[in-house]
mmCIF file of all heavy atoms in Angstrom:
data_model
loop_
_atom_site.group_PDB
_atom_site.id
_atom_site.type_symbol
_atom_site.label_atom_id
_atom_site.label_comp_id
_atom_site.label_asym_id
_atom_site.label_seq_id
_atom_site.Cartn_x
_atom_site.Cartn_y
_atom_site.Cartn_z
ATOM 1 N N ASN P 11 62.740 -29.852 80.982
ATOM 2 C CA ASN P 11 61.958 -28.645 80.563
ATOM 3 C C ASN P 11 62.067 -27.520 81.589
ATOM 4 O O ASN P 11 62.209 -26.360 81.267
ATOM 5 C CB ASN P 11 60.568 -28.959 80.228
ATOM 6 C CG ASN P 11 60.386 -29.837 78.990
ATOM 7 O OD1 ASN P 11 61.451 -29.879 78.260
ATOM 8 N ND2 ASN P 11 59.229 -30.345 78.736
ATOM 9 N N LYS P 12 61.991 -28.014 82.888
ATOM 10 C CA LYS P 12 62.128 -26.991 83.875
ATOM 11 C C LYS P 12 63.501 -26.342 83.882
ATOM 12 O O LYS P 12 63.671 -25.195 84.023
ATOM 13 C CB LYS P 12 61.918 -27.760 85.256
ATOM 14 C CG LYS P 12 62.015 -26.856 86.490
ATOM 15 C CD LYS P 12 61.845 -27.687 87.678
ATOM 16 C CE LYS P 12 62.286 -26.824 88.954
ATOM 17 N NZ LYS P 12 62.480 -27.724 90.141
ATOM 18 N N LEU P 13 64.459 -27.094 83.656
ATOM 19 C CA LEU P 13 65.860 -26.714 83.573
ATOM 20 C C LEU P 13 65.987 -25.584 82.390
ATOM 21 O O LEU P 13 66.504 -24.488 82.584
ATOM 22 C CB LEU P 13 66.867 -27.773 83.292
ATOM 23 C CG LEU P 13 68.345 -27.433 83.084
ATOM 24 C CD1 LEU P 13 68.983 -27.057 84.299
ATOM 25 C CD2 LEU P 13 69.059 -28.454 82.258
ATOM 26 N N TRP P 14 65.472 -25.980 81.279
ATOM 27 C CA TRP P 14 65.504 -25.086 80.126
ATOM 28 C C TRP P 14 64.657 -23.847 80.205
ATOM 29 O O TRP P 14 64.910 -22.860 79.562
ATOM 30 C CB TRP P 14 65.235 -25.864 78.753
ATOM 31 C CG TRP P 14 66.302 -26.782 78.328
ATOM 32 C CD1 TRP P 14 67.492 -26.901 78.932
ATOM 33 C CD2 TRP P 14 66.259 -27.706 77.302
ATOM 34 N NE1 TRP P 14 68.228 -27.761 78.274
ATOM 35 C CE2 TRP P 14 67.533 -28.318 77.278
ATOM 36 C CE3 TRP P 14 65.362 -28.118 76.291
ATOM 37 C CZ2 TRP P 14 67.908 -29.360 76.310
ATOM 38 C CZ3 TRP P 14 65.668 -29.060 75.360
ATOM 39 C CH2 TRP P 14 66.957 -29.656 75.398
ATOM 40 N N ASP P 15 63.617 -23.947 81.062
ATOM 41 C CA ASP P 15 62.726 -22.778 81.198
ATOM 42 C C ASP P 15 63.148 -21.933 82.417
ATOM 43 O O ASP P 15 62.473 -20.851 82.610
ATOM 44 C CB ASP P 15 61.361 -23.321 81.466
ATOM 45 C CG ASP P 15 60.716 -23.998 80.261
ATOM 46 O OD1 ASP P 15 61.260 -23.729 79.205
ATOM 47 O OD2 ASP P 15 59.745 -24.718 80.346
ATOM 48 N N THR P 16 64.136 -22.249 83.140
ATOM 49 C CA THR P 16 64.528 -21.446 84.302
ATOM 50 C C THR P 16 65.875 -20.745 84.108
ATOM 51 O O THR P 16 66.728 -21.446 83.659
ATOM 52 C CB THR P 16 64.668 -22.313 85.587
ATOM 53 O OG1 THR P 16 63.517 -23.243 85.615
ATOM 54 C CG2 THR P 16 64.666 -21.474 86.850
ATOM 55 N N ARG P 17 65.880 -19.468 84.272
ATOM 56 C CA ARG P 17 67.211 -18.785 84.136
ATOM 57 C C ARG P 17 67.912 -18.909 85.468
ATOM 58 O O ARG P 17 67.393 -18.969 86.491
ATOM 59 C CB ARG P 17 66.928 -17.314 83.882
ATOM 60 C CG ARG P 17 66.563 -17.026 82.377
ATOM 61 C CD ARG P 17 67.237 -15.798 81.867
ATOM 62 N NE ARG P 17 67.186 -14.624 82.732
ATOM 63 C CZ ARG P 17 67.656 -13.486 82.309
ATOM 64 N NH1 ARG P 17 68.189 -13.338 81.150
ATOM 65 N NH2 ARG P 17 67.733 -12.411 83.163
ATOM 66 N N PRO P 18 69.325 -18.947 85.492
ATOM 67 C CA PRO P 18 70.087 -19.059 86.582
ATOM 68 C C PRO P 18 69.836 -17.729 87.477
ATOM 69 O O PRO P 18 69.456 -16.734 86.850
ATOM 70 C CB PRO P 18 71.525 -19.114 86.168
ATOM 71 C CG PRO P 18 71.375 -19.582 84.786
ATOM 72 C CD PRO P 18 70.170 -19.140 84.243
ATOM 73 N N CYS P 19 69.945 -17.880 88.788
ATOM 74 C CA CYS P 19 69.826 -16.683 89.561
ATOM 75 C C CYS P 19 70.842 -16.594 90.651
ATOM 76 O O CYS P 19 71.412 -17.547 91.033
ATOM 77 C CB CYS P 19 68.429 -16.726 90.178
ATOM 78 S SG CYS P 19 68.095 -18.048 91.287
ATOM 79 N N VAL P 20 71.070 -15.420 91.086
ATOM 80 C CA VAL P 20 71.918 -15.142 92.224
ATOM 81 C C VAL P 20 71.076 -15.227 93.488
ATOM 82 O O VAL P 20 70.002 -14.682 93.603
ATOM 83 C CB VAL P 20 72.637 -13.821 92.086
ATOM 84 C CG1 VAL P 20 73.367 -13.420 93.383
ATOM 85 C CG2 VAL P 20 73.620 -13.783 90.880
ATOM 86 N N THR P 21 71.626 -15.912 94.497
ATOM 87 C CA THR P 21 70.900 -15.951 95.737
ATOM 88 C C THR P 21 71.702 -15.396 96.940
ATOM 89 O O THR P 21 72.852 -15.125 96.804
ATOM 90 C CB THR P 21 70.659 -17.513 96.040
ATOM 91 O OG1 THR P 21 71.989 -18.153 96.107
ATOM 92 C CG2 THR P 21 69.862 -18.233 95.043
ATOM 93 N N SER P 22 71.001 -15.209 98.006
ATOM 94 C CA SER P 22 71.637 -14.528 99.227
ATOM 95 C C SER P 22 71.833 -15.372 100.434
ATOM 96 O O SER P 22 72.556 -14.970 101.328
ATOM 97 C CB SER P 22 70.799 -13.230 99.595
ATOM 98 O OG SER P 22 69.541 -13.671 100.008
ATOM 99 N N GLU P 23 71.197 -16.523 100.479
ATOM 100 C CA GLU P 23 71.172 -17.234 101.658
ATOM 101 C C GLU P 23 72.561 -17.628 102.184
ATOM 102 O O GLU P 23 72.889 -17.371 103.367
ATOM 103 C CB GLU P 23 70.369 -18.583 101.516
ATOM 104 C CG GLU P 23 70.242 -19.330 102.902
ATOM 105 C CD GLU P 23 69.436 -20.575 102.694
ATOM 106 O OE1 GLU P 23 70.001 -21.558 102.207
ATOM 107 O OE2 GLU P 23 68.251 -20.597 102.957
ATOM 108 N N ARG P 24 73.380 -18.169 101.392
ATOM 109 C CA ARG P 24 74.688 -18.588 101.747
ATOM 110 C C ARG P 24 75.602 -17.407 102.269
ATOM 111 O O ARG P 24 76.260 -17.395 103.210
ATOM 112 C CB ARG P 24 75.485 -19.263 100.610
ATOM 113 C CG ARG P 24 76.835 -19.810 101.121
ATOM 114 C CD ARG P 24 77.749 -20.315 99.912
ATOM 115 N NE ARG P 24 78.903 -20.887 100.368
ATOM 116 C CZ ARG P 24 79.991 -20.147 100.822
ATOM 117 N NH1 ARG P 24 79.907 -18.801 100.887
ATOM 118 N NH2 ARG P 24 81.083 -20.713 101.231
ATOM 119 N N LEU P 25 75.445 -16.232 101.512
ATOM 120 C CA LEU P 25 76.038 -15.008 101.858
ATOM 121 C C LEU P 25 75.782 -14.594 103.251
ATOM 122 O O LEU P 25 76.646 -14.184 104.067
ATOM 123 C CB LEU P 25 75.655 -13.953 100.880
ATOM 124 C CG LEU P 25 76.202 -12.612 101.131
ATOM 125 C CD1 LEU P 25 77.686 -12.498 101.041
ATOM 126 C CD2 LEU P 25 75.581 -11.433 100.279
ATOM 127 N N VAL P 26 74.471 -14.659 103.555
ATOM 128 C CA VAL P 26 74.029 -14.251 104.988
ATOM 129 C C VAL P 26 74.577 -15.156 105.995
ATOM 130 O O VAL P 26 75.189 -14.760 107.052
ATOM 131 C CB VAL P 26 72.518 -14.274 104.968
ATOM 132 C CG1 VAL P 26 71.960 -13.998 106.463
ATOM 133 C CG2 VAL P 26 71.964 -13.049 104.149
ATOM 134 N N LEU P 27 74.454 -16.522 105.697
ATOM 135 C CA LEU P 27 75.008 -17.560 106.642
ATOM 136 C C LEU P 27 76.521 -17.400 106.946
ATOM 137 O O LEU P 27 76.989 -17.462 108.058
ATOM 138 C CB LEU P 27 74.600 -18.985 106.174
ATOM 139 C CG LEU P 27 73.055 -19.320 106.214
ATOM 140 C CD1 LEU P 27 72.888 -20.619 105.579
ATOM 141 C CD2 LEU P 27 72.539 -19.251 107.713
ATOM 142 N N GLN P 28 77.204 -17.179 105.748
ATOM 143 C CA GLN P 28 78.580 -17.035 105.779
ATOM 144 C C GLN P 28 79.029 -15.854 106.645
ATOM 145 O O GLN P 28 79.935 -15.942 107.460
ATOM 146 C CB GLN P 28 79.214 -17.006 104.428
ATOM 147 C CG GLN P 28 80.648 -16.588 104.438
ATOM 148 C CD GLN P 28 81.452 -16.876 103.179
ATOM 149 O OE1 GLN P 28 81.516 -18.097 102.801
ATOM 150 N NE2 GLN P 28 82.014 -15.866 102.579
ATOM 151 N N THR P 29 78.272 -14.780 106.449
ATOM 152 C CA THR P 29 78.557 -13.502 107.153
ATOM 153 C C THR P 29 78.482 -13.752 108.709
ATOM 154 O O THR P 29 79.269 -13.371 109.483
ATOM 155 C CB THR P 29 77.699 -12.410 106.699
ATOM 156 O OG1 THR P 29 77.826 -12.375 105.230
ATOM 157 C CG2 THR P 29 78.191 -11.066 107.243
ATOM 158 N N GLU P 30 77.273 -14.465 109.149
ATOM 159 C CA GLU P 30 77.066 -14.800 110.396
ATOM 160 C C GLU P 30 78.171 -15.617 111.083
ATOM 161 O O GLU P 30 78.730 -15.344 112.152
ATOM 162 C CB GLU P 30 75.758 -15.428 110.632
ATOM 163 C CG GLU P 30 74.486 -14.619 110.429
ATOM 164 C CD GLU P 30 73.229 -15.422 110.327
ATOM 165 O OE1 GLU P 30 73.253 -16.659 110.607
ATOM 166 O OE2 GLU P 30 72.161 -14.791 109.957
ATOM 167 N N ALA P 31 78.523 -16.636 110.260
ATOM 168 C CA ALA P 31 79.601 -17.522 110.694
ATOM 169 C C ALA P 31 80.926 -16.888 110.827
ATOM 170 O O ALA P 31 81.703 -17.123 111.753
ATOM 171 C CB ALA P 31 79.555 -18.733 109.695
ATOM 172 N N TYR P 32 81.237 -16.027 109.855
ATOM 173 C CA TYR P 32 82.517 -15.319 109.979
ATOM 174 C C TYR P 32 82.699 -14.501 111.297
ATOM 175 O O TYR P 32 83.650 -14.519 111.908
ATOM 176 C CB TYR P 32 82.723 -14.261 108.837
ATOM 177 C CG TYR P 32 83.622 -14.862 107.684
ATOM 178 C CD1 TYR P 32 83.252 -15.961 107.002
ATOM 179 C CD2 TYR P 32 84.776 -14.192 107.394
ATOM 180 C CE1 TYR P 32 84.124 -16.547 106.034
ATOM 181 C CE2 TYR P 32 85.672 -14.679 106.334
ATOM 182 C CZ TYR P 32 85.272 -15.835 105.747
ATOM 183 O OH TYR P 32 86.116 -16.341 104.705
ATOM 184 N N LYS P 33 81.573 -13.803 111.610
ATOM 185 C CA LYS P 33 81.458 -13.140 112.897
ATOM 186 C C LYS P 33 81.696 -14.079 114.067
ATOM 187 O O LYS P 33 82.434 -13.735 115.020
ATOM 188 C CB LYS P 33 80.195 -12.252 112.974
ATOM 189 C CG LYS P 33 80.292 -11.101 111.945
ATOM 190 C CD LYS P 33 78.912 -10.343 112.016
ATOM 191 C CE LYS P 33 78.783 -9.348 110.909
ATOM 192 N NZ LYS P 33 77.455 -8.899 110.726
ATOM 193 N N ARG P 34 80.923 -15.147 113.997
ATOM 194 C CA ARG P 34 81.018 -16.018 115.152
ATOM 195 C C ARG P 34 82.302 -16.825 115.393
ATOM 196 O O ARG P 34 82.783 -17.072 116.411
ATOM 197 C CB ARG P 34 79.888 -17.138 114.997
ATOM 198 C CG ARG P 34 79.681 -18.034 116.111
ATOM 199 C CD ARG P 34 78.621 -19.031 115.851
ATOM 200 N NE ARG P 34 77.266 -18.390 115.725
ATOM 201 C CZ ARG P 34 76.167 -19.071 116.104
ATOM 202 N NH1 ARG P 34 76.188 -20.282 116.481
ATOM 203 N NH2 ARG P 34 75.028 -18.398 115.924
ATOM 204 N N PHE P 35 82.983 -17.150 114.273
ATOM 205 C CA PHE P 35 84.098 -18.096 114.455
ATOM 206 C C PHE P 35 85.533 -17.409 114.207
ATOM 207 O O PHE P 35 86.501 -18.030 114.259
ATOM 208 C CB PHE P 35 84.022 -19.286 113.489
ATOM 209 C CG PHE P 35 82.864 -20.195 113.730
ATOM 210 C CD1 PHE P 35 81.653 -20.104 112.898
ATOM 211 C CD2 PHE P 35 82.741 -20.964 114.881
ATOM 212 C CE1 PHE P 35 80.653 -20.908 113.185
ATOM 213 C CE2 PHE P 35 81.625 -21.806 115.159
ATOM 214 C CZ PHE P 35 80.588 -21.761 114.297
ATOM 215 N N ALA P 36 85.505 -16.074 113.860
ATOM 216 C CA ALA P 36 86.704 -15.400 113.676
ATOM 217 C C ALA P 36 87.646 -15.585 114.812
ATOM 218 O O ALA P 36 87.172 -15.497 116.043
ATOM 219 C CB ALA P 36 86.433 -13.868 113.370
ATOM 220 N N GLY P 37 88.916 -15.790 114.614
ATOM 221 C CA GLY P 37 89.836 -15.956 115.769
ATOM 222 C C GLY P 37 90.428 -17.428 115.801
ATOM 223 O O GLY P 37 91.502 -17.581 116.270
ATOM 224 N N ASP P 38 89.697 -18.453 115.207
ATOM 225 C CA ASP P 38 90.241 -19.753 115.173
ATOM 226 C C ASP P 38 91.391 -19.881 114.148
ATOM 227 O O ASP P 38 91.415 -19.003 113.286
ATOM 228 C CB ASP P 38 89.121 -20.721 114.727
ATOM 229 C CG ASP P 38 88.428 -21.296 115.911
ATOM 230 O OD1 ASP P 38 89.022 -21.412 117.061
ATOM 231 O OD2 ASP P 38 87.170 -21.663 115.857
ATOM 232 N N ALA P 39 92.145 -20.848 114.260
ATOM 233 C CA ALA P 39 93.165 -21.100 113.247
ATOM 234 C C ALA P 39 92.497 -21.215 111.916
ATOM 235 O O ALA P 39 91.399 -21.767 111.890
ATOM 236 C CB ALA P 39 94.021 -22.360 113.622
ATOM 237 N N THR P 40 93.176 -20.804 110.875
ATOM 238 C CA THR P 40 92.570 -20.648 109.575
ATOM 239 C C THR P 40 91.768 -21.954 109.120
ATOM 240 O O THR P 40 90.600 -21.881 108.902
ATOM 241 C CB THR P 40 93.527 -20.309 108.511
ATOM 242 O OG1 THR P 40 94.105 -19.044 108.900
ATOM 243 C CG2 THR P 40 92.894 -20.201 107.107
ATOM 244 N N PRO P 41 92.264 -23.126 109.113
ATOM 245 C CA PRO P 41 91.583 -24.376 108.591
ATOM 246 C C PRO P 41 90.335 -24.534 109.488
ATOM 247 O O PRO P 41 89.305 -24.924 108.983
ATOM 248 C CB PRO P 41 92.655 -25.480 108.783
ATOM 249 C CG PRO P 41 93.923 -24.922 109.036
ATOM 250 C CD PRO P 41 93.729 -23.574 109.498
ATOM 251 N N ILE P 42 90.459 -24.456 110.763
ATOM 252 C CA ILE P 42 89.389 -24.718 111.675
ATOM 253 C C ILE P 42 88.298 -23.601 111.452
ATOM 254 O O ILE P 42 87.115 -23.917 111.370
ATOM 255 C CB ILE P 42 89.813 -24.764 113.129
ATOM 256 C CG1 ILE P 42 90.791 -25.942 113.241
ATOM 257 C CG2 ILE P 42 88.716 -24.868 114.125
ATOM 258 C CD1 ILE P 42 91.253 -26.322 114.483
ATOM 259 N N PHE P 43 88.725 -22.391 111.331
ATOM 260 C CA PHE P 43 87.796 -21.352 111.215
ATOM 261 C C PHE P 43 86.985 -21.562 109.809
ATOM 262 O O PHE P 43 85.725 -21.492 109.818
ATOM 263 C CB PHE P 43 88.537 -20.012 110.977
ATOM 264 C CG PHE P 43 87.834 -18.944 110.381
ATOM 265 C CD1 PHE P 43 86.718 -18.368 110.969
ATOM 266 C CD2 PHE P 43 88.257 -18.365 109.128
ATOM 267 C CE1 PHE P 43 85.950 -17.280 110.416
ATOM 268 C CE2 PHE P 43 87.518 -17.321 108.633
ATOM 269 C CZ PHE P 43 86.368 -16.794 109.167
ATOM 270 N N ARG P 44 87.741 -21.936 108.868
ATOM 271 C CA ARG P 44 87.037 -22.139 107.484
ATOM 272 C C ARG P 44 86.040 -23.263 107.603
ATOM 273 O O ARG P 44 85.078 -23.308 107.141
ATOM 274 C CB ARG P 44 88.091 -22.365 106.335
ATOM 275 C CG ARG P 44 88.764 -21.009 106.001
ATOM 276 C CD ARG P 44 89.588 -21.154 104.752
ATOM 277 N NE ARG P 44 88.694 -21.661 103.656
ATOM 278 C CZ ARG P 44 87.878 -20.997 102.962
ATOM 279 N NH1 ARG P 44 87.651 -19.646 103.274
ATOM 280 N NH2 ARG P 44 87.131 -21.609 101.995
ATOM 281 N N ALA P 45 86.546 -24.371 108.280
ATOM 282 C CA ALA P 45 85.656 -25.503 108.395
ATOM 283 C C ALA P 45 84.406 -25.250 109.230
ATOM 284 O O ALA P 45 83.319 -25.630 108.792
ATOM 285 C CB ALA P 45 86.476 -26.642 109.074
ATOM 286 N N GLU P 46 84.621 -24.457 110.291
ATOM 287 C CA GLU P 46 83.448 -24.163 111.126
ATOM 288 C C GLU P 46 82.454 -23.270 110.323
ATOM 289 O O GLU P 46 81.228 -23.355 110.499
ATOM 290 C CB GLU P 46 83.830 -23.303 112.344
ATOM 291 C CG GLU P 46 84.639 -24.159 113.314
ATOM 292 C CD GLU P 46 83.780 -25.082 114.148
ATOM 293 O OE1 GLU P 46 82.635 -25.280 113.895
ATOM 294 O OE2 GLU P 46 84.359 -25.719 115.155
#
Side-chain angles (χ1 to χ4, degrees):
Chain P
N11 289 349
K12 181 182 164 196
L13 175 79
W14 285 355
D15 293 343
T16 315
R17 283 222 313 183
C19 61
V20 168
T21 59
S22 63
E23 187 182 78
R24 185 192 182 284
L25 175 68
V26 171
L27 292 172
Q28 166 161 302
T29 309
E30 288 168 11
Y32 257 61
K33 290 173 185 167
R34 184 181 293 208
F35 298 105
D38 269 329
T40 300
I42 296 187
F43 164 66
R44 288 193 50 78
E46 293 284 10

